[in-house]
Amino acid sequence: MSASPAFTLVLSGGGLKGLAHIGVLQALEEEGLVPGGVVGSSMGSLIAAAWAAGRTVEELRTRALGLKRRDVFRVAHSDMAFKRMQAPAVYRREPLDELIQDLVGERTFDDLIHTLIVNTVDINSGMQVLWGLPGLRYAAVADTVFASCALPGIFPPREIAGRYYVDGAVADNLPVKAATACGPGPVVAVDCGAAQALRSEVERGGFAATYIRGLEIVMQTMLERTIRLWREPPLLLVHPRVEDYSMFTFDRPTELMAEGYRAMRQALPELRRLIAAPEPGIFPKIPVRLHVDRHRCVGCGFCALRAPGIFRMDGSGKAEVIAPNQWWSPLDGVYVRNCPTWAISARPVSGEWVGTPRPPVA
């Protein structure tokens, strides 16, 4: 099957939840849709690099089904015992190195079948470095993937040409802007971060649970800020429903891949529409109607601060909706999720839409 440069695929981090990306690739392959390039961050970089190196979806599925915790995580006992707080990381690098070598080998970026960009961060400067861009193709692909998976404190940084790199997710878990370097056409961004989901009793889960939850929140906040004003090319966000899975879940690969497959299949009609007739913005968009429960509203005013064109404070100090009919992309509605008393609700509108019309194609 020949690749078509009609769209670029971006695969996020998310730990083992990123196995959903394999299902995404399967859904695209079945429809004969091959991205002109792929951008990966963290686990997304591993899946992206393996695919770009020529691994088939079936090979990736087989490897995922056989993946065990020891294939990735082995505690660095010696470092933890002797170096204590000076230990470079909790886990040893060797298992992850072996996994990456098995999937990617010794390839350079010029050896790959498909265009690949790997998202990393220089741990000393804080600079985001996108391997695979012109001038950044000299590193071994396997080294860049390890760096992209090296969550600080979990795995040690990876040295490349005298500088040290870590997981690109600490700067940008869904690096959609990098996709524009792969060519024209829509960007399909698959987000397995799932930070919007409501959690309970995180505080009881110990260090790992609070650390990972904090990282999820940071990644989601950065994503919203990064692409809030996105216009072109069209951006199609795909959200596999993986919020109920831990980032370190090893016993649910079948369910994770199936959910990635389902989410991408659902998004295919919109992708085909955007390929045929691109329009600016973030998709899919659905019509919703907003409502404020005045009995729950405490008048904090946060919604009016975040969305002054949609909410205002009335004479009694309560929030009211001044533009109830909205077209929402998957990133809209931050003010709903951030209402401290859950006083704001949004309901999809079915049937004929009589509110604010869908923005016209520019």
Side-chain angles (χ1 to χ4, degrees), residues 127-313:
M127 181 187 302
Q128 183 180 14
V129 178
L130 299 165
W131 299 98
L133 292 179
L136 290 171
R137 300 175 61 84
Y138 57 85
V141 174
D143 281 338
T144 68
V145 171
F146 184 98
S148 190
C149 293
L151 191 62
I154 303 298
F155 290 108
R158 174 52 49 95
E159 180 185 1
I160 302 175
R163 297 170 68 178
Y164 291 84
Y165 300 90
V166 296
D167 193 340
V170 303
D172 189 356
N173 190 46
L174 193 67
V176 292
K177 290 185 177 180
T180 58
C182 293
V187 175
V188 179
V190 186
D191 182 14
C192 291
Q196 298 178 11
L198 179 65
R199 299 279 193 258
S200 62
E201 299 186 340
V202 173
E203 72 282 358
R204 297 174 179 266
F207 164 77
T210 54
Y211 176 77
I212 294 302
R213 181 53 177 164
L215 182 63
E216 284 184 336
I217 295 170
V218 169
M219 291 189 298
Q220 181 66 28
T221 302
M222 289 191 299
L223 173 62
E224 291 170 354
R225 290 179 177 175
T226 298
I227 61 177
R228 181 177 294 129
L229 301 178
W230 183 280
R231 292 290 292 165
E232 295 180 307
L235 175 61
L236 176 61
L237 288 175
V238 179
H239 286 277
R241 297 300 304 271
V242 295
E243 59 268 22
D244 292 331
Y245 297 89
S246 164
M247 290 180 69
F248 300 145
T249 297
F250 282 85
D251 58 350
R252 295 290 187 271
T254 300
E255 294 95 321
L256 289 166
M257 289 186 286
E259 176 53 25
Y261 179 82
R262 182 209 62 80
M264 191 66 244
R265 292 290 305 183
Q266 184 179 53
L268 284 174
E270 188 81 332
L271 174 57
R272 290 191 180 280
R273 184 184 71 81
L274 292 173
I275 290 174
E279 60 178 287
I282 303 173
F283 301 90
K285 292 183 182 292
I286 61 170
V288 298
R289 186 181 298 276
L290 301 174
H291 173 74
V292 173
D293 185 333
R294 292 179 58 82
H295 295 292
R296 288 189 174 186
C297 178
V298 294
C300 70
F302 187 69
C303 57
L305 288 173
R306 292 296 298 265
I310 299 175
F311 299 94
R312 70 184 175 194
M313 308 307 291

